[in-house]
Amino acid sequence: MPPLNAEKLAKAKSLGFSDRQIAHLTGQTEDAVRAERKRIGLIPSYRLVDTCAAEFEAYTPYYYSTYDRGDDEVKGNSAKKVMILGGGPNRIGQGIEFDYCCVHAAFALKEDGFETIMVNSNPETVSTDYDTSDKLFFEPLTLEDVLHIYEREQCWGAIAQFGGQTPLNLALALQKNGVNIIGTSPQSIEIAEDRKLFAAMLNKLNIPQPPNGLATNEAEALLASKQLGYPVLVRPSFVLGGRAMQIVYSDAELSHYMRFAVEASPERPVLVDKFLEDATEVDVDCITDVGHFQNPGEGTIVIGGMLEHIEFAGVHSGDAAMVLPPHTLTHTVIATIRQYTHAMARELKVIGLMNVQYAVKGETVYVLEVNPRASRTVPFSSKAIGVPLAKLAAKVMAGKTLKELGFTAEIWPDYWAVKESVFPFNRFHGQDILLSPEMRSTGEVMGLDADLGVAYAKSQMAANSPLPVSGRVFISVSDHHKDEVAAVARQYTDLGFELVATSGTAAVLEKAGLKVQRVLKLTEGRPNVVDLLKNKEIQLVINTPAGQSPRADEIKIRTTAVYTGTPIMTTLSGAKAAALGIAALKERGYAVKTVQEYH
């Protein structure tokens, strides 16, 4: 298609075509289309959203862009402005935590005298409320739209750290087009996101990571997996919520993944990591101002939260239950995590927030990934320690130091904070509830208590899955977990529960001297465990998957548990935590205190 003339270009823009779409159709680059538009003076105007439906004059500062002829309704002023890029449209696996960070950034910068400009395309968020920012633009988070607003408002700077992966992916291109990205530099973000640059940084700092490789096609993925050995964790680069992330156990599974789950290319390689089975995962949120200083040793780094996952590594951090502070890690491991976090923050010259995910196997600490941005655990960590990390980070990004803000020491609470995720499985009939590296939760809750078991029990109550204190426990575990299941089952019999199991698991429990009521498998007839669940004769289910491709009867058991409101644990670590919570409830009960009283 030949290049567009001015008239056709104006027509295409008024019909809603983006510069990228026009570039694709005309065989040009997006930059070239944008330059041509600017040359002929074709830029959008902004109109007020009429929040009063024409009944009264609207004063709410909500704006949208249009290429239709008409007046621009944005009210200009000479204030120093900061643009905050939101997280975009909400979906399952997105989480509202990034919106929390954007809201706190707007509040913090207002306090420091800035005019705040929020850019987000999702009206169902707090960041898009009328009293959050000074101006709000309902626009897609694309390079084209963000640049228009930045130039129209003559902003001093832009924050890309608080909206998750979507704005982070724009940071480098925005900077190249003259946007002042405040906080951690896009170059440092690139080091953390680019697998080769990241590996080089870890080698320089002598920090271990799981053996890994890159693949741009199926053959390369198979070769990498052969060198690493199964199981491997495969994932596309530059994604949010662990989308299309999967643990694979064979060549056949890997080939299927490469053909149907992702589009691999040299620009978007698939990351292939050796999966550390039965490792403990740890999330760390830290805040730092070291990027403000020339001397590498200057500046302050404070760990805001160190959260130990209850589930073993392999469950997305947005889905995993977590404990703050860590409850099983040794002093040596905690010191190593602290040392690695500080070293990476200094090397990346981070300004603001940084999240690190670790896997701990024995006494060895491996770095899984580093995100020099706000993470989905920041709101939880902030509430747990009583310090608004996102608010402080915004002020640090705008130029202040942590010493000026009075936050220089790590807070280690003398109580337990347990994060549990909330899932939408009861809305999706037939959908298996197993957790994986791909995020599926739609929210989270917190349990606080001086006793870890009670804190865990409170988190389950808040997640609408309260733990029972008596009754019957159905147990069915995979062959992989048969060696450990007797010890877990004994915890429940010691608490007064009766055990119910199908033949395979029952034989293992009976061999260990435990009394078990045998129940038919679904394929063997009725009454089976699904009947018992529907009749409310089972109070707790412990069911670990038999393999990467769950059997139909397993899925039926797990989904029936969800529909009948029966608490279910799909990992033995979760079952142990539940036993701890039940023991604490039976022994001590629980009391209610406000979060402010804990602080």
Side-chain angles (χ1 to χ4, degrees):
M1 183 185 281
L4 293 176
N5 58 35
E7 187 181 340
K8 282 186 177 177
L9 193 54
K11 179 72 173 172
K13 296 307 290 184
S14 70
L15 290 172
F17 283 86
S18 68
D19 287 352
R20 178 178 284 192
Q21 288 171 316
I22 294 168
H24 175 72
L25 292 169
T26 57
Q28 301 178 73
T29 65
E30 186 179 352
D31 288 345
V33 173
R34 182 164 54 251
E36 176 61 17
R37 264 199 311 100
K38 286 187 171 181
R39 188 187 69 78
I40 62 174
L42 183 59
I43 57 173
S45 57
Y46 292 92
R47 308 279 175 80
L48 271 170
V49 175
D50 188 354
T51 51
C52 299
E55 192 172 351
F56 310 102
E57 187 177 351
Y59 293 102
T60 318
Y62 291 2
Y63 298 98
Y64 66 95
S65 66
T66 175
Y67 278 88
D68 292 340
R69 291 189 181 91
D71 294 334
D72 190 302
E73 296 176 343
V74 175
K75 297 173 178 66
N77 59 48
S78 59
K80 197 173 185 181
K81 300 170 188 175
V82 174
M83 172 195 281
I84 302 164
L85 302 182
N90 257 11
R91 55 173 177 75
I92 291 173
Q94 168 81 12
I96 206 68
E97 300 89 344
F98 297 123
D99 198 60
Y100 165 100
C101 294
C102 290
V103 169
H104 275 244
F107 291 164
L109 293 172
K110 270 188 190 180
E111 286 174 11
D112 281 4
F114 292 94
E115 180 175 304
T116 56
I117 295 168
M118 188 73 217
V119 182
N120 206 1
S121 54
N122 179 15
E124 294 296 324
T125 56
V126 183
S127 66
T128 52
D129 280 356
Y130 71 92
D131 56 353
T132 296
S133 56
D134 294 305
K135 288 178 185 169
L136 168 66
F137 287 82
F138 280 118
E139 293 293 294
L141 287 155
T142 66
L143 180 65
E144 175 185 345
D145 294 288
V146 171
L147 280 176
H148 280 312
I149 300 164
Y150 187 87
E151 291 164 359
R152 172 65 183 81
E153 286 289 342
Q154 298 178 309
C155 297
W156 167 73
I159 291 180
Q161 266 191 26
F162 284 173
Q165 197 68 39
T166 306
L168 207 68
N169 288 347
L170 290 174
L172 203 59
L174 288 170
Q175 188 190 54
K176 286 176 182 173
N177 282 278
V179 173
N180 173 30
I181 301 290
I182 64 173
T184 306
S185 74
Q187 287 70 27
S188 291
I189 293 169
E190 192 75 2
I191 290 170
E193 296 281 345
D194 185 289
R195 181 47 60 103
K196 288 178 181 173
L197 297 175
F198 182 57
M201 181 191 79
L202 294 183
N203 287 337
K204 177 184 173 183
L205 299 174
N206 200 24
I207 295 175
Q209 67 175 145
N212 59 78
L214 284 172
T216 59
N217 55 50
E218 185 183 334
E220 288 180 9
L222 289 167
L223 179 62
S225 298
K226 187 176 180 182
Q227 291 168 343
L228 296 170
Y230 289 106
V232 294
L233 179 71
V234 285
R235 54 186 167 145
S237 44
F238 301 98
V239 296
L240 178 68
R243 265 191 297 179
M245 196 185 288
Q246 192 173 312
I247 301 163
V248 298
Y249 291 82
S250 66
D251 284 355
E253 285 180 19
L254 183 60
S255 294
H256 185 272
Y257 174 86
M258 294 299 292
R259 288 174 196 172
F260 301 109
V262 292
E263 281 186 39
S265 69
E267 294 77 34
R268 296 280 170 173
V270 168
L271 315 176
V272 186
D273 294 333
K274 175 66 180 170
F275 178 62
L276 303 171
E277 289 193 282
D278 297 338
T280 300
E281 199 162 332
V282 181
D283 257 77
V284 174
D285 290 312
C286 83
I287 181 170
T288 173
D289 57 17
V290 294
H292 285 321
F293 299 88
Q294 295 299 315
N295 188 331
E298 288 187 286
T300 307
I301 302 168
V302 183
I303 289 179
M306 195 181 291
L307 299 99
E308 180 181 343
H309 292 213
I310 289 173
E311 288 87 0
F312 284 129
V315 174
H316 191 279
S317 61
D319 288 352
M322 300 184 192
V323 180
L324 182 156
H327 67 298
T328 68
L329 303 183
T330 65
H331 291 299
T332 306
V333 166
I334 289 170
T336 303
I337 288 172
R338 193 174 285 122
Q339 175 197 332
Y340 289 172
T341 304
H342 281 235
M344 289 185 288
R346 291 199 182 278
E347 184 65 23
L348 290 168
K349 299 181 176 63
V350 174
I351 302 171
L353 292 166
M354 181 179 86
N355 169 262
V356 190
Q357 290 169 23
Y358 294 99
V360 179
K361 188 103 170 169
E363 290 287 292
T364 307
V365 177
Y366 297 91
V367 173
L368 299 179
E369 63 176 290
V370 174
N371 294 303
R373 59 166 168 83
S375 76
R376 64 183 76 256
T377 48
V378 162
F380 180 87
S381 297
S382 299
K383 285 184 168 67
I385 66 171
V387 176
L389 296 171
K391 221 171 181 183
L392 295 180
K395 295 189 176 192
V396 166
M397 292 161 76
K400 288 192 172 173
T401 66
L402 286 172
K403 281 184 180 173
E404 287 177 80
L405 296 170
F407 185 57
T408 57
E410 195 175 316
I411 295 174
W412 199 266
D414 57 1
Y415 49 85
W416 302 97
V418 176
K419 174 182 96 79
E420 183 56 280
S421 300
V422 178
F423 298 94
F425 296 128
N426 60 347
R427 307 283 181 183
F428 297 97
H429 285 248
Q431 176 70 38
D432 196 8
I433 68 166
L434 278 184
L435 303 183
S436 71
E438 185 163 5
M439 183 179 163
R440 302 165 84 183
S441 66
T442 51
E444 61 186 43
V445 294
M446 174 190 278
L448 287 174
D449 203 87
D451 181 279
L452 177 57
V454 175
Y456 182 79
K458 284 180 176 179
S459 74
Q460 300 310 298
M461 292 177 204
N464 292 322
S465 186
L467 298 174
V469 291
S470 63
R472 301 159 95 195
V473 180
F474 171 74
I475 304 178
S476 175
V477 297
S478 67
D479 292 341
H480 180 63
H481 296 117
K482 291 268 165 68
D483 293 342
E484 304 170 68
V485 70
V488 176
R490 197 177 301 281
Q491 288 181 277
Y492 284 91
T493 57
D494 290 346
L495 289 167
F497 284 85
E498 296 175 25
L499 303 181
V500 179
T502 48
S503 55
T505 303
V508 174
L509 298 177
E510 287 166 349
K511 191 177 177 183
L514 294 166
K515 185 181 176 183
V516 188
Q517 178 193 335
R518 290 188 177 228
V519 66
L520 295 174
K521 293 180 179 178
L522 269 62
T523 52
E524 294 172 345
R526 302 178 72 174
N528 53 47
V529 66
V530 167
D531 296 317
L532 296 182
L533 282 166
K534 288 178 177 177
N535 294 337
K536 299 287 185 180
E537 295 177 52
I538 300 288
Q539 279 64 52
L540 181 72
V541 174
I542 299 170
N543 177 231
T544 65
Q548 183 61 21
S549 302
R551 296 193 300 259
D553 55 346
E554 283 184 10
I555 296 173
K556 182 77 171 169
I557 291 167
R558 289 193 283 266
T559 53
T560 304
V562 170
Y563 302 148
T564 57
T566 309
I568 176 167
M569 303 294 155
T570 58
T571 63
L572 287 186
S573 52
K576 290 173 188 173
L580 185 72
I582 292 166
L585 284 179
K586 285 173 77 87
E587 186 181 333
R588 283 178 287 281
Y590 67 92
V592 176
K593 280 168 69 175
T594 64
V595 71
Q596 288 84 358
E597 287 177 277
Y598 281 103
H599 297 155

